[in-house]
């Protein structure tokens, strides 16, 4: 898939753990893991907004397009 999810990168920069982000977002760590590994087929704008708000970043910091 040409869309790369960089949540792990932003978590490392912010020195935050996945379970902390999931807790602040109000989702399970399993659902966050699906998103982080790129296995999610879609993402809601409200989810993207919550990630950006908590990690203080832009959507482009989280998602990247890489041509195959």
């Amino acid at each position: 898939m040409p869309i790369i999810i960089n949540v792990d990168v932003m978590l490392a920069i912010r020195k935050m753990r996945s379970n902390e982000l999931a807790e602040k977002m109000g989702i399970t760590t399993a659902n966050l893991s699906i998103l982080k590994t790129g296995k999610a087929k879609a993402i809601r704008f409200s989810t993207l907004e919550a990630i950006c708000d908590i990690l203080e970043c832009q959507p482009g910091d989280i998602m990247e397009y890489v041509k195959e």
Side-chain angles (χ1 to χ4, degrees):
M1 185 167 177
I3 302 293
I4 307 298
I5 305 297
N6 293 318
V7 172
D8 280 336
V9 174
M10 293 308 300
L11 284 169
I13 291 170
R14 300 295 187 250
K15 297 181 181 164
M16 185 181 292
R17 301 185 89 153
S18 294
N19 58 347
E20 184 181 352
L21 176 60
E23 185 179 317
K24 287 183 177 188
M25 290 178 63
I27 65 171
T28 65
T29 54
N31 283 340
L32 181 58
S33 178
I34 289 168
L35 177 63
K36 285 178 15 182
T37 58
K39 293 181 181 176
K41 295 191 185 281
I43 182 171
R44 292 178 184 222
F45 282 124
S46 58
T47 302
L48 183 59
E49 180 182 354
I51 292 170
C52 290
D53 182 46
I54 294 165
L55 295 178
E56 299 177 353
C57 64
Q58 295 295 314
D61 297 328
I62 295 169
M63 294 187 287
E64 177 182 358
Y65 173 76
V66 177
K67 193 171 184 175
E68 291 182 334

